[in-house]
Amino acid sequence: MTDRMRIGVGLPAAVPGTDMTTLGQWASDSERAGFAAVGVIDRLVYDNLEPLTALAAAAARTSRVELVTTVLNVGWRTNPVLLAKQLASVERISGGRLTAGLGLGGWPEDFAASQVPQKGGAALWASTLETMAQVWAGKLSGQGGPMPELPEGRPALRFGGLVPAAFARAARHGEGWVAPLFGLSVLQEGVSAVRGVWERAGRPGRPRVMTGRYFGLGHGADPVADEYLRHYYGDAFLSMVRADTLTTTDRLRAELTALRAAGVTDVVLYPTSSGLEQVGLLADALHASGFPLTGG
């Protein structure tokens, strides 16, 4: 069990119909309420903001909170120099607050729209990570000199995935693992796997383990959650994700207790509604659940 679990809140950047001009206010309200982080998820062919753009908007209205992706999909982002520059840009704008959770991505239509095959992940990871490391080390130059070097270990990296190679990547190339946004048994098995690789790699301490859960509170929370999650995941995954969605204080308390016991160090709670009142409702519910926010 971890001593204390850092609790962040997701931006409503992937909730259709959101007034995206309120994203900065959502981020600043979240920081003021004491959340440790604000986070984003990633889709291409969907009604959402590009996630790094959303985090840049959040960075401009905050000064403390960590900015996280859970996860950013690299499988169909085929220019690793551009991706490295985009990540570095958010890192620099925010004053060093970006933690990039990276994964391959799993939505077939995103790969089809990008004209990229949904295979060959091992080779893609090797080339992408090598190129990004060169960019962030200031080893790529052009007219006017090199791209700027970032401090060692920045931005912070975590890795998603459910196969042995993913756990190895999380242990060897980053500070830990990003679990899916639902499924306790999958989380527990992944924590055990990534800790094993971490120890065999001789790394001190334990890996960070980040996951997320969906939440919605207040009047009409359940039908709102049903509508959003069906729209995002479709009927095939609805029952699984809905089972882990938090719409009451009791459910919030039980799930966070289970996540902490499973070894989660960082959790981001993603809204099913874009109303600004959700930030305050969640902060109050966390306090009532015995998980008061401390700001970091």
Side-chain angles (χ1 to χ4, degrees):
M1 180 182 294
T2 59
D3 293 331
R4 185 169 64 83
M5 186 168 60
R6 289 166 51 89
I7 300 175
V9 63
L11 299 173
V15 178
T18 296
D19 177 359
M20 296 302 178
T21 65
T22 67
L23 235 60
Q25 187 65 50
W26 183 286
S28 62
D29 287 354
S30 299
E31 181 170 80
R32 192 176 305 112
F35 287 96
V38 294
V40 288
I41 55 179
D42 191 13
R43 289 277 291 275
L44 180 61
V45 185
Y46 191 71
D47 180 7
N48 65 305
L49 289 187
E50 192 284 317
L52 294 177
T53 304
L55 287 185
R61 293 288 300 273
T62 58
S63 60
R64 173 190 58 77
V65 289
E66 186 180 17
L67 307 169
V68 302
T69 63
T70 62
V71 293
L72 188 75
N73 298 324
V74 304
W76 41 263
R77 286 181 165 88
T78 56
N79 185 333
V81 176
L82 175 59
L83 177 58
K85 190 177 185 75
Q86 290 169 323
L87 291 164
S89 296
V90 176
E91 172 76 0
R92 295 170 69 192
I93 289 169
S94 67
R97 292 185 281 135
L98 177 62
T99 294
L102 303 177
L104 285 177
W107 295 98
E109 58 266 34
D110 291 349
F111 285 85
S114 304
Q115 301 181 27
V116 174
Q118 197 172 355
K119 58 184 180 179
L124 173 69
W125 275 122
S127 62
T128 297
L129 291 175
E130 180 180 1
T131 299
M132 292 198 302
Q134 291 177 344
V135 172
W136 296 334
K139 294 181 179 179
L140 268 65
S141 295
Q143 169 58 38
M147 299 172 74
E149 181 179 358
L150 297 182
E152 185 176 357
R154 300 302 310 172
L157 299 180
R158 297 172 189 167
F159 296 91
L162 298 174
V163 298
F167 302 132
R169 193 175 301 116
R172 293 170 182 161
H173 298 288
E175 59 177 35
W177 179 56
V178 184
L181 301 188
F182 53 92
L184 183 60
S185 62
V186 170
L187 167 68
Q188 292 168 328
E189 292 168 5
V191 169
S192 177
V194 75
R195 282 180 175 175
V197 180
W198 186 276
E199 292 171 4
R200 290 192 293 274
R203 298 193 62 176
R206 283 187 167 180
R208 306 295 296 184
V209 175
M210 173 175 280
T211 191
R213 290 293 185 266
Y214 290 100
F215 83 94
L217 298 168
H219 178 72
D222 285 306
V224 168
D226 291 342
E227 180 180 3
Y228 169 62
L229 295 173
R230 179 174 284 108
H231 188 272
Y232 191 92
Y233 286 98
D235 290 334
F237 296 100
L238 177 62
S239 61
M240 290 184 287
V241 67
R242 187 63 176 88
D244 286 346
T245 298
L246 317 175
T247 57
T248 67
T249 299
D250 287 345
R251 187 72 185 88
L252 181 69
R253 179 188 301 111
E255 187 66 15
L256 292 183
T257 299
L259 293 179
R260 185 171 60 185
V264 170
T265 62
D266 304 77
V267 60
V268 180
L269 302 173
Y270 283 99
T272 58
S273 167
S274 61
L276 284 166
E277 76 281 354
Q278 290 295 316
V279 174
L281 289 172
L282 180 58
D284 291 344
L286 287 166
H287 182 79
S289 300
F291 289 89
L293 298 170
T294 58

